[in-house]
Amino acid sequence: MKKLRSQEWFGRQDKNGFLYRSWMKNQGWPHDLFDGRPVIGICNTFSELTPCNAHFREIAEYVKRGVWEAGGFPLEFPVMSLGESVLRPTAMLFRNLASMDVEESIRGNPIDGVVLLMGCDKTTPSLLMGAASCDLPTAGVSGGPMLSGKFHGHDLGSGTGVWQMNEQVRSGQMNLEEFFEAESCMHRSKGHCMTMGTASTMASMVESLGMSLPGNAAIPAVDARRYTLAQMTGRRVVQMVHEDLRISRILTREAFENAIRANAGIGGSTNAVIHLIALAGRLGVPLCLDDFDQLASCLPCLVNIQPSGKYLMEDFFYAGGVPVVLRELGEAGALHREALTVNGKSMWENVAEAPCWNRDVIRPFTDPFKPNAGITVLRGNLAPDGAVIKLSAASPHLLQHRGRAVVFESIEELHARINDEALDIDENCVMVLKNCGPRGYPGMAEVGNMPLPPKILRKGITDMVRISDARMSGTAYGTVVLHACPEAAAGGPLALVQSGDMVTLDVAKRAVRLEVDEPALAARRAQWTPPPLPERGYLRLYVKHVLQADKGADLDFLVGRSGAAVGRDSH
Ligand code: FES
């Protein structure tokens, strides 16, 4: 059998072998565990400050069971955990930092294969990105969605329900007592957001990429089958080490195309665009913004889940989950059937027979939930390098729209003015928010779904065209143009928009335009000054090196991979 990487540490018959083994033995490990069996690192994003991942120590125990059963040696290690709900100013600011933690933790340690435990939004891309830059045999286990929220006899979806109820409070349809009562009703079990928000989307991407065992995305966090899947993944990753089935053999261009199409099928988050491009960049797989439009904007949304639809992830699981969506795509010719997955089988071998148990939750390709519902890429003088809109969550009547811009220079200005009854705005206006991109916020926060002014909500209007360089929560909805590139803080044209300018959105023509002539824009550009660099620390590193959203918002020096070799000993 091939000598494994971990033997460069544990197999040594010298002073360094003593060092590498002896301290490990303080945990009670017998000497024969260092005999050359596969060492499986379990990369754990457990944190009590990341509530969506707070059950991960339990999941890790099941992965370990599987690793032991298959003859491996499991070693769990922590990495930076990013909790979407509490981490300020935005978890996205730290995705790349966490990916560095993952990459260096894997590379620097005696690990032959890795199981990634992922849940809350950014914990999935950061782990995939870090692992991809090392390129060891790797499989993912997601933490699973929470049980459906239940409030006053109805389903209540993570995030989506907050945005809806907040608008009801602001328009006077709900009182604060009811609003706060819903807190305990929305999130009532372990797991991540149970709408098709970014966490569920990214878990579905993991499965569509072939990076997990089939069915991984939708099993509720508290369902026993989640723990079975963790155990089976532990068993399987030991075999992957023996087969030298590295992440780069799974994450091919075909795998990314499958994921992009699956994202349309599930009505997934716009955040998947940024994360998939960043992940592809680590592997050297060519992938760009236009791939999303060309491959998937014409595809239908099959899944009737919030925020695009009405059901929740628990319903999606009972209906059959991601395998059904992939089967539908495959039967429609929109899937690379031969793409390899971590269980060693092709995607099609995994999903060809996947049964659907509820056609109201997962519609057939021939009679979809929403036609032409993929993520669409817009360009024009307002976003020369592109912007995105999620059609499945937008209002059809606003997809062709011309309106007067109402501009907010910062998130603080938006908060200060949006509730002002004197704000000069009506429902035909286009709300424009600047300086919320990667460099501007910094970290590209999920603030693109700007709240509507109360005086418009009171008219019963719930959507307006909104444009920004920000992101939007995967749980959010509306006719929201996001990720405008280049961002305002990088001197993009968004920085030059003034209140009163006319803006045109024409989704059919893939256009977002500012109706201001070039000489006038040049005069405004001459007046623009870039924001100062943060003084120190990670923030400074981030702002100096972050790429724009169309390039995945990775740090420029992290693009690519270095492999897992480490030439030198520690002593
Ligand atoms: Fe963690 Fe939504 S807050 S998944």
Side-chain angles (χ1 to χ4, degrees), residues 43-123:
C43 182
N44 201 339
T45 46
F46 159 81
S47 167
E48 290 180 337
L49 288 166
T50 304
C52 308
N53 298 16
H55 58 303
F56 277 23
R57 289 196 288 205
E58 197 180 344
I59 291 183
E61 291 306 317
Y62 283 82
V63 176
K64 287 177 193 173
R65 277 192 191 180
V67 173
W68 286 125
E69 284 172 338
F73 178 15
L75 291 169
E76 181 184 347
F77 63 98
V79 290
M80 184 181 194
S81 185
L82 307 176
E84 200 67 30
S85 57
V86 292
L87 195 56
R88 293 167 66 170
T90 167
M92 183 62 179
L93 175 60
F94 306 109
R95 182 199 66 179
N96 303 333
L97 179 62
S99 79
M100 291 169 76
D101 180 357
V102 172
E103 176 179 346
E104 302 305 337
S105 296
I106 294 173
R107 182 179 298 118
N109 280 299
I111 290 171
D112 301 307
V114 191
V115 176
L116 307 174
L117 303 190
M118 309 171 283
C120 198
D121 297 11
K122 305 303 176 290
T123 59

Side-chain angles (χ1 to χ4, degrees), residues 293-316:
D293 203 308
Q294 285 161 12
L295 291 165
S297 64
C298 57
L299 289 179
C301 174
L302 307 179
V303 174
N304 182 3
I305 298 189
Q306 297 182 31
S308 300
K310 70 175 180 183
Y311 292 104
L312 294 169
M313 286 299 286
E314 200 181 330
D315 307 302
F316 185 42

Side-chain angles (χ1 to χ4, degrees), residues 142-441:
S142 298
M146 288 180 262
L147 296 176
S148 300
K150 296 285 179 186
F151 178 57
H152 291 186
H154 299 287
D155 279 355
L156 187 61
S158 298
T160 307
V162 181
W163 321 129
Q164 287 168 342
M165 291 187 296
N166 188 44
E167 301 290 58
Q168 288 166 8
V169 170
R170 295 173 70 244
S171 63
Q173 298 168 55
M174 180 183 247
N175 63 41
L176 276 178
E177 199 177 322
E178 290 174 305
F179 184 57
F180 293 132
E181 182 192 344
E183 274 180 19
S184 309
C185 308
M186 182 176 280
H187 299 131
R188 60 194 188 89
S189 83
K190 296 166 185 170
H192 61 66
C193 289
M194 79 318 253
T195 43
M196 190 53 82
T198 304
S200 299
T201 297
M202 291 310 297
S204 302
M205 294 298 91
V206 168
E207 191 170 336
S208 312
L209 286 164
M211 278 301 300
S212 70
L213 297 185
N216 169 66
I219 307 171
V222 296
D223 192 300
R225 287 164 282 189
R226 169 67 52 199
Y227 299 87
T228 306
L229 183 133
Q231 185 164 338
M232 300 302 285
T233 305
R235 288 184 193 173
R236 175 59 196 154
V237 78
V238 174
Q239 297 307 316
M240 289 174 71
V241 170
H242 290 312
E243 295 163 12
D244 200 24
L245 179 50
R246 292 166 187 266
I247 194 169
S248 58
R249 284 181 58 203
I250 308 283
L251 294 182
T252 59
R253 167 80 190 187
E254 288 71 26
F256 281 97
E257 291 191 2
N258 282 348
I260 288 171
R261 287 175 168 137
N263 193 43
I266 61 173
S269 164
T270 45
N271 285 320
V273 178
I274 294 184
H275 299 323
L276 289 177
I277 290 175
L279 177 59
R282 295 298 184 97
L283 291 145
V285 172
L287 198 73
C288 69
L289 205 49
D290 291 325
D291 287 325
F292 286 80
D293 203 308
Q294 285 161 12
L295 291 165
S297 64
C298 57
L299 289 179
C301 174
L302 307 179
V303 174
N304 182 3
I305 298 189
Q306 297 182 31
S308 300
K310 70 175 180 183
Y311 292 104
L312 294 169
M313 286 299 286
E314 200 181 330
D315 307 302
F316 185 42
F317 174 58
Y318 301 143
V322 171
V324 179
V325 176
L326 294 171
R327 177 182 179 175
E328 290 289 339
L329 290 171
E331 287 176 350
L335 190 78
H336 293 289
R337 295 181 175 197
E338 298 313 314
L340 184 61
T341 73
V342 292
N343 67 358
K345 296 182 179 172
S346 73
M347 183 61 78
W348 195 242
E349 285 178 285
N350 288 339
V351 305
E353 306 294 329
C356 181
W357 304 108
N358 188 335
R359 278 297 181 196
D360 199 36
V361 178
I362 311 174
R363 306 287 309 161
F365 196 92
T366 47
D367 181 19
F369 176 51
K370 291 185 181 181
N372 305 325
I375 287 167
T376 297
V377 177
L378 307 167
R379 291 181 195 275
N381 67 348
L382 202 43
D385 291 340
V388 301
I389 185 168
K390 178 177 169 178
L391 293 189
S392 66
S395 301
H397 71 280
L398 289 173
L399 297 180
Q400 185 153 27
H401 185 81
R402 182 173 181 268
R404 171 172 61 87
V406 176
V407 175
F408 305 96
E409 297 289 333
S410 67
I411 191 68
E412 288 76 20
E413 187 191 334
L414 173 82
H415 290 149
R417 293 176 59 208
I418 196 66
N419 292 328
D420 185 350
E421 295 290 325
L423 181 66
D424 183 15
I425 193 169
D426 62 46
E427 59 270 32
N428 297 314
C429 289
V430 173
M431 297 170 69
V432 177
L433 176 61
K434 303 180 184 176
N435 297 308
C436 293
R439 287 193 221 171
Y441 202 75

